[in-house]
Amino acid sequence: MSGRAGGRRWTPPLRRRRRGPGWAAQTPTWQRARPALIADALKRASARPSGNWFVVCASREVRAGGRPFGRTVGGAEVVLWRLDGGELRAGPGACPHLGAPLRDSRVVCGTLVCHWHGLALNGSPFAGWQPFPVHDDGVLVWVRLDEVGGEEPTARPVVPVRPAAGSGVDAVFTATGRCEPQDVVANRLDPWHGSWFHPYSFVDLTVVREPGGEEDDVFVVDVSFRVAGRLVVPVRAEFAAPEPRTVVMRITDGEGATSVVETHATPLTGPDDDRPRTAVIEAVVAVSDRPGFALARAAAPVLRPLMRRTAGRLWRDDLAYAERRWALRSTGRFPG
């Protein structure tokens, strides 16, 4: 196929990979994946301010006219709902009357009505119930929990830079693991495991630049995404952690440049829980300057399940990685 659009010749996004070494014959990466380097990157990320903001869910999971959405964050029950005009409301998930789970209640004309005794909450303070600050960035919903975060609060969360609104296709995948947020972040700050642990998705992975410190805290990676057989999509990507519970991968060169994958690690249990659980909430915002990408945007409802399925396959393994890391740390068999 060789049509033109806007004077530019169409080229396929896929490349046929030269027959390379098999999985066992690829160059080992364990010497470059130095534990101290990963630990230092994690330490710097953990020291950055979050303003007490936590990612709770995808924006589209809380719909005007729909049911409330509930999640426990850091041991605190949270309920979210939208007014009829789409504005978000958030607050404690227990009814201030007798503690009913407000996530199971109903939204009537934008008002949250408890299903136990009919107490109505419009999002304003009520005796024993104080709303939480909430932010919808168009892809994800954030809630500020000052008692959970324990930091100096900020008016807005640290939202990563994304492609222009409406220019891409976004999908959000959520999974839960028995670990702490730092174990999820550490996984993402270890790009060297990619083609060893995920050979079904990544090949020819090379870390071309490591973080140099606080002012240069970015991993730069050349990698090919495996599509089928020897068909791949080669890109250059950067990994960085803008705040303690977020790691962003941004494609800087190759197919889909400026596309981002945001991995957010939200603690579900409190800090003293001996069986911690963390939600991985991963947002993919894919863009392309190829002619015809508008068709992909139009087909977004069909593409989103496929994008979530791809993320789910990776996180099946990466959550096992994070859970193993926590298990070793919690028993003193590995530093962390």
Side-chain angles (χ1 to χ4, degrees), residues 138-227:
V139 177
L140 299 169
V141 169
W142 306 66
V143 170
R144 199 183 82 196
L145 302 173
D146 294 339
E147 291 188 7
V148 174
E151 300 178 15
E152 186 69 26
T154 57
R156 290 288 184 269
V158 182
V159 179
V161 176
R162 297 178 182 145
S167 65
V169 177
D170 67 270
V172 179
F173 169 81
T174 302
T176 301
R178 191 170 301 286
C179 59
E180 295 177 327
Q182 66 157 296
D183 301 302
V184 173
V185 173
N187 170 274
R188 278 297 183 260
L189 295 179
D190 169 19
W192 291 278
H193 77 269
S195 57
W196 283 100
F197 205 40
H198 308 294
Y200 47 82
S201 291
F202 306 120
V203 291
D204 304 328
L205 188 152
T206 303
V207 177
V208 297
R209 186 160 64 83
E210 301 170 356
E214 189 66 42
E215 301 303 318
D216 178 20
D217 206 18
V218 175
F219 293 89
V220 179
V221 175
D222 284 342
V223 63
S224 290
F225 294 101
R226 189 190 294 275
V227 178

Side-chain angles (χ1 to χ4, degrees), residues 53 80 88-90 132-136 141-144 155-157:
W53 289 93
L80 303 102
L88 266 175
R89 293 288 185 266
F132 298 140
V134 63
H135 180 77
D136 185 348
V141 169
W142 306 66
V143 170
R144 199 183 82 196
R156 290 288 184 269

Side-chain angles (χ1 to χ4, degrees), residues 16-33:
R16 186 173 177 82
R17 177 179 179 251
R18 293 181 179 179
R19 193 174 298 279
W23 178 84
Q26 63 182 320
T27 302
T29 58
W30 67 270
Q31 289 179 308
R32 295 199 62 188

Side-chain angles (χ1 to χ4, degrees), residues 26-47:
Q26 63 182 320
T27 302
T29 58
W30 67 270
Q31 289 179 308
R32 295 199 62 188
R34 302 187 301 281
L37 188 153
I38 297 169
D40 286 347
L42 176 63
K43 183 178 180 180
R44 290 192 294 270
S46 300

